[in-house]
Amino acid sequence: MKKEMTLQSNERLNLNVNQLTVAVRKPLLAVARYYSHVLERPVNVQQTLHLLNAQAAFFFTVFPADCALLLRGACAAWLIHALMQCKREL
């Protein structure tokens, strides 16, 4: 009986994880389709995540609030790294 309860619990957990995966993937696929349209070439989800990372890095580098020079340097390094990843993936 205890093994059956564990199996049912694992099945529920797998179902919840699958539902969460579908819920997160759906907007990413929409953004990937948008990028594919704009770039006029197919873009997969991993490439979409790289592009989103580069956009976030650009935003935090160009539009910083009043912050320390060290933090601005870290954001600039993040941007450079993100752009190099995009170049490699695309």
Side-chain angles (χ1 to χ4, degrees):
M1 182 82 170
K2 190 172 186 176
K3 288 183 181 179
E4 290 176 11
M5 295 295 273
T6 304
L7 184 60
Q8 290 174 356
S9 175
N10 286 340
E11 287 175 358
R12 273 187 263 150
L13 179 63
N14 286 339
L15 181 63
N16 289 340
V17 169
N18 288 341
Q19 289 173 344
L20 179 65
T21 303
V22 168
V24 169
R25 194 169 169 87
K26 188 181 270 188
L28 283 176
L29 289 173
V31 174
R33 280 192 305 271
Y34 171 73
Y35 284 146
S36 295
H37 177 73
V38 169
L39 297 174
E40 297 179 348
R41 61 180 291 254
V43 176
N44 62 28
V45 173
Q46 183 178 5
Q47 292 168 334
T48 300
L49 291 173
H50 285 294
L51 289 168
L52 290 172
N53 181 35
Q55 286 180 335
F58 177 79
F59 179 79
F60 282 106
T61 303
V62 174
F63 302 113
D66 294 332
C67 61
L69 188 59
L70 183 62
L71 185 58
R72 289 182 186 198
C75 288
W78 175 25
L79 176 62
I80 291 168
H81 182 261
L83 291 174
M84 288 172 49
Q85 282 182 333
C86 281
K87 184 178 179 183
R88 187 179 67 235
E89 287 295 321
L90 296 172

